[in-house]
Amino acid sequence: MKQSLTRQITAGIGMAVALLIFNATTSYRNTLKLVENERRVGHTHRVLTELEATLSTLKDAETGQRGYLLTGEERYLEPYHSAIARINEQVVELQQLTADNNRQQQRIRNLKIAIDSKLAELEGTINLRRQQKLEAALREVKSGRGKQIMGGIRQQIATMTAEETQLLQQRARESQTSATLTILTFTVATLVNFLLMLAVYYLVKRDQTLRDNAEIKQNQLLEQLEHDRHSLQLTEERFRLAILNAPLPIMLHAENGQVLQINSAWTEFSGYQHSEIPTIEDWTEKAYHNRKSLVQADIDRLHQLNSRISEGEYMIATASGETRIWDFYSAPLGQLSDGRSLVISTAIDITARKQAEAEIRMLNATLERRVELRTNQLQAANEELEAFTYTVAHDLRAPLRGMQGLAEALLEDYRDILDELGQEYAQQIVNSGQQLQELIEDLLAYSRLSRTDLSLQVLDLESAVVEAIAMVKADAKSSHAQISLQSPLPAVIAHRVTLVQVIANLLTNAIKFVEGVSPQVQIWAEELELPQEGETDRDIARKLEMQTVGEWEHSQLLMASPLLPVPMIRLWVEDNGIGIAPEHQKRIFGVFERLHGIESYPGTGIGLAIVKKGVDRMGGQVGVESQLGQGSRFWIQLRKHDRNADDFAGGR
């Protein structure tokens, strides 16, 4: 602030001096301009005077000529001779006075020609008077030639006089303007100088006031500094006591390995006094034994950090020979007065926690083995149940075909014997047999999806959809359904037969559950980026189970692998059917789950279960979005064929 004010004072004085110089310079220039204008005004007056004198001289010559013509006496020619003697000098004087004006120079040349003509005319009439007496001279005068020449001369002199008068007025105005500007400039500059001097005076007074205030503040700051120094001493003492009495082990160590201080907790947990570990080398020698060099390198790197860091877990040996596990955290504390960096390291004894974690891992591993065993037992039971279902469904087909054949034969061979009620019963047997046949076929298809090994491969999704559309072509034609496909569709990883069956079941479902309108089915696909789970908790538990206590040193807790984005293709099948209430949308994918009676909508109740089973076996997902009366949008989700991933795998 003080330096800024000094600069302001200096700048004010400099501006005042500069303004004085500017004022003097401007006034001098305006005075010179005023003098020059006055000189030019006087010059113009001389030109006007000379023009009048020239015209007067011609008049004198003309007067002498007339006197001589009337009297014939030579003494009347004296004005004429005097005018002739002066006229040329006057013309030359005019040429010199108007040398800076080209127009006037041209007029003077024309004037000189006219004057010469006039003088010649005067001389001619005088000669006629001398030689031929008065009558001849009067005839020449009466011809008007001399008057005409004199009129031209007067006109030329009047034109030159008008221009000089105009110049005179212009130069008079310029002189007046210069005088006014000089007075105005001098007045303004003087006023500004006066204001600047007032400002400088104000700044000087202010500077003096600020100096006095600064001196007072300086004294106050010195007092405050003394107070702060005393407070800092108290703070440092509290900080030292806080470190010494902290419940966690704390060490302060410098860049060259010197241990500046350890607190009582460090001594309590490790058993070492400060005198026993004066340097980091002594500490690593006692606490880490043969791992000394590795730990020493880790500690040396701490002095290159700029922020707090978690070093991890280390196994140390205490003075009593006990093995403990400490979790270390360190942070930089700046530099000492000699330039060495200072680091504070804090430790947490986690030995008890690690032992508890080991016990938990052992229990988790035991529990997982039990869960795995139970899962295998359940899987075996499911496989036996699926085999039983397949066998029953397969073995039911033979007697079912016999029953259907006998019922059809009864209708064909004994129709005339059977009454109407008997024919109806026989027909119901045939219809029930057909329904049971469809149910058995669906059960076998569902069972095969569970039992058959599916070989997944890269498939053209569009060709699979086209094949499925062809499979339901008859049903679509009978119900006047319109199926539209938005091409192109990408390649996916799937099993072709299963994928075609899944899509065909979805199309059949979309065509079937429509009421009062022609079925409208839309098929399209979109690409999604979904996360794929990495390492599972079971994998982590197995790794932890294999670790020993000695492997805990300098290791971090295992975490699950990050989620990896996987490109997926979602195929949508949208219809304009009756829709599905939200509370029923999950159970429709179960076996034998029907929301409507068979008399309303035919079917076995297994079609969507086959869809879910098939998609599950291909590693995908299935779902539906629907509202009652607003149609449904079923979707299946499969992995997209990634050409870049295949190229990368082939390169490895």
Side-chain angles (χ1 to χ4, degrees):
M1 181 64 183
K2 182 178 178 181
Q3 292 181 353
S4 175
L5 189 57
T6 302
R7 286 197 296 269
Q8 291 177 6
I9 294 173
T10 304
I13 295 174
M15 290 177 62
V17 173
L19 192 58
L20 283 174
I21 295 174
F22 172 77
N23 187 23
T25 303
T26 304
S27 299
Y28 177 73
R29 292 177 60 187
N30 288 336
T31 302
L32 290 179
K33 187 174 181 180
L34 181 61
V35 171
E36 175 64 19
N37 284 336
E38 290 299 326
R39 185 193 65 78
R40 294 169 66 183
V41 168
H43 178 81
T44 304
H45 279 294
R46 287 183 59 193
V47 173
L48 291 173
T49 301
E50 199 65 30
L51 286 172
E52 291 177 358
T54 302
L55 182 60
S56 177
T57 300
L58 285 175
K59 290 179 180 179
D60 290 344
E62 194 173 46
T63 300
Q65 178 244 11
R66 288 175 182 173
Y68 177 74
L69 292 179
L70 292 175
T71 63
E73 296 179 5
E74 290 292 333
R75 60 187 180 87
Y76 285 99
L77 290 178
E78 290 180 3
Y80 169 76
H81 293 301
S82 298
I84 291 176
R86 293 197 310 272
I87 194 67
N88 289 329
E89 295 177 357
Q90 290 173 337
V91 170
V92 171
E93 182 68 17
L94 283 174
Q95 286 178 334
Q96 292 176 352
L97 290 174
T98 59
D100 58 343
N101 192 327
N102 292 330
R103 291 193 304 274
Q104 295 290 64
Q105 287 284 299
Q106 181 61 42
R107 292 189 184 104
I108 289 173
R109 285 193 289 271
N110 295 335
L111 178 63
K112 187 175 186 306
I113 294 173
I115 290 173
D116 291 342
S117 298
K118 180 62 179 176
L119 294 177
E121 184 267 336
L122 292 176
E123 185 179 1
T125 55
I126 292 172
N127 290 333
L128 286 175
R129 178 71 175 86
R130 286 173 178 168
Q131 297 173 3
Q132 301 180 15
K133 302 301 180 180
L134 179 61
E135 290 76 9
L138 290 177
R139 283 196 301 270
E140 179 65 22
V141 172
K142 290 179 180 180
S143 66
R145 178 170 170 272
K147 182 180 181 181
Q148 182 179 2
I149 295 172
M150 192 63 181
I153 291 172
R154 284 193 177 92
Q155 181 63 37
Q156 290 179 8
I157 290 176
T159 301
M160 294 176 67
T161 301
E163 179 163 344
E164 291 298 326
T165 302
Q166 184 178 1
L167 286 175
L168 179 63
Q169 294 173 352
Q170 177 182 350
R171 288 166 181 173
R173 286 195 300 270
E174 289 178 355
S175 296
Q176 182 64 33
T177 301
S178 296
T180 303
L181 182 60
T182 300
I183 296 171
L184 179 62
T185 303
F186 180 79
T187 303
V188 171
T190 302
L191 179 61
V192 172
N193 265 334
F194 178 72
L195 294 177
L196 280 175
M197 294 306 295
L198 287 179
V200 171
Y201 175 75
Y202 167 75
L203 291 175
V204 170
K205 292 293 292 182
R206 184 183 177 192
D207 180 59
Q208 184 61 41
T209 303
L210 290 177
R211 288 175 185 273
D212 295 340
N213 293 336
E215 185 175 355
I216 295 172
K217 288 183 178 180
Q218 186 176 11
N219 294 332
Q220 293 175 347
L221 287 174
L222 289 175
E223 295 176 0
Q224 184 65 34
L225 183 61
E226 180 62 25
H227 180 269
D228 291 344
R229 186 181 64 81
H230 181 66
S231 299
L232 181 60
Q233 289 177 347
L234 294 177
T235 302
E236 289 177 350
E237 180 63 20
R238 286 194 293 267
F239 178 71
R240 188 182 67 84
L241 293 176
I243 291 178
L244 289 176
N245 300 323
L248 297 178
I250 297 176
M251 173 187 285
L252 298 176
H253 51 97
E255 188 173 1
N256 64 345
Q258 180 185 2
V259 176
L260 300 179
Q261 189 173 16
I262 61 172
N263 66 348
S264 56
W266 192 288
T267 301
E268 178 183 349
F269 283 99
S270 68
Y272 298 110
Q273 299 288 337
H274 186 206
S275 59
E276 298 177 271
I277 50 173
T279 65
I280 292 296
E281 184 177 3
D282 295 322
W283 162 249
T284 55
E285 176 69 32
K286 295 179 182 298
Y288 300 100
H289 302 310
N290 58 347
R291 291 164 292 141
K292 167 186 175 180
S293 58
L294 295 176
V295 179
Q296 179 81 42
D298 291 343
I299 296 176
D300 290 342
R301 281 194 291 269
L302 297 177
H303 294 279
Q304 309 300 323
L305 301 176
N306 296 320
S307 60
R308 185 177 65 86
I309 185 175
S310 173
E311 299 177 64
E313 301 164 7
Y314 288 81
M315 182 180 295
I316 70 165
T318 66
S320 62
E322 183 184 3
T323 299
R324 309 292 295 179
I325 299 173
W326 284 12
D327 190 9
F328 283 92
Y329 297 86
S330 295
L333 293 182
Q335 292 183 336
L336 298 171
S337 58
D338 56 6
R340 292 179 298 165
S341 63
L342 180 64
V343 171
I344 181 171
S345 295
T346 304
I348 303 175
D349 192 318
I350 60 172
T351 306
R353 191 187 77 189
K354 300 301 288 186
Q355 291 173 351
E357 288 177 356
E359 293 176 1
I360 293 173
R361 283 196 296 270
M362 295 298 293
L363 291 175
N364 287 340
T366 302
L367 178 61
E368 284 205 6
R369 283 196 294 269
R370 292 169 59 190
V371 171
E372 185 176 359
L373 178 61
R374 182 60 176 164
T375 302
N376 292 335
Q377 292 174 350
L378 290 175
Q379 185 175 357
N382 287 335
E383 290 177 355
E384 291 178 3
L385 180 60
E386 290 176 356
F388 174 76
T389 303
Y390 180 81
T391 302
V392 170
H394 186 273
D395 293 343
L396 282 176
R397 288 193 298 181
L400 179 61
R401 282 196 295 267
M403 182 182 69
Q404 283 183 292
L406 290 174
E408 291 173 355
L410 185 63
L411 285 173
E412 291 178 2
D413 297 339
Y414 299 97
R415 181 179 296 273
D416 296 337
I417 300 175
L418 295 174
D419 59 8
E420 184 177 349
L421 183 58
Q423 293 179 10
E424 182 180 351
Y425 287 162
Q427 185 62 47
Q428 287 181 359
I429 294 173
V430 173
N431 294 340
S432 297
Q434 290 176 349
Q435 293 175 4
L436 185 56
Q437 178 68 26
E438 293 177 0
L439 178 60
I440 290 172
E441 292 297 333
D442 285 347
L443 281 173
L444 289 174
Y446 185 81
S447 179
R448 279 194 296 270
L449 284 176
S450 300
R451 295 164 53 85
T452 306
D453 292 334
L454 301 184
S455 177
L456 302 182
Q457 58 184 348
V458 179
L459 292 181
D460 181 9
L461 180 57
E462 187 166 342
S463 66
V465 172
V466 171
E467 185 176 345
I469 294 174
M471 289 178 62
V472 301
K473 184 175 182 181
D475 293 340
K477 185 175 181 180
S478 63
S479 61
H480 305 288
Q482 294 184 358
I483 302 175
S484 60
L485 171 63
Q486 295 183 14
S487 299
L489 301 181
V492 295
I493 307 297
H495 182 258
R496 185 174 186 83
V497 175
T498 303
L499 180 58
V500 172
Q501 183 180 5
V502 165
I503 299 173
N505 282 12
L506 290 177
L507 293 175
T508 301
N509 194 75
I511 294 171
K512 183 193 305 182
F513 293 97
V514 178
E515 191 175 62
V517 295
S518 298
Q520 303 288 331
V521 184
Q522 305 285 337
I523 304 174
W524 77 93
E526 62 179 346
E527 182 176 347
L528 305 173
E529 288 285 344
L530 299 177
Q532 179 189 28
E533 293 185 358
E535 191 175 31
T536 64
D537 293 339
R538 180 179 299 179
D539 298 329
I540 296 172
R542 287 173 180 168
K543 291 182 179 180
L544 291 173
E545 181 183 357
M546 296 172 61
Q547 282 187 315
T548 64
V549 176
E551 292 174 324
W552 290 343
E553 178 187 350
H554 208 188
S555 65
Q556 301 293 326
L557 292 175
L558 292 173
M559 303 294 293
S561 300
L563 299 180
L564 305 173
V566 176
M568 304 292 288
I569 298 299
R570 179 171 287 185
L571 180 70
W572 292 86
V573 178
E574 181 178 5
D575 61 54
N576 61 335
I578 60 176
I580 306 167
E583 61 268 21
H584 301 313
Q585 291 177 6
K586 287 187 178 180
R587 69 184 188 90
I588 60 174
F589 293 101
V591 180
F592 301 124
E593 291 288 350
R594 299 179 56 88
L595 303 182
H596 308 278
I598 193 172
E599 65 279 358
S600 301
Y601 297 99
T604 62
I606 306 178
L608 291 179
I610 292 175
V611 170
K612 187 176 188 312
K613 176 64 73 173
V615 174
D616 288 344
R617 290 296 309 278
M618 291 185 292
Q621 294 178 346
V622 64
V624 64
E625 297 178 2
S626 180
Q627 293 290 336
L628 282 176
Q630 299 181 15
S632 302
R633 295 200 308 168
F634 284 86
W635 56 266
I636 61 173
Q637 193 167 281
L638 300 170
R639 289 192 61 174
K640 179 185 177 183
H641 171 53
D642 192 346
R643 298 181 181 273
N644 295 330
D646 289 348
D647 296 341
F648 177 74
R652 290 177 63 87

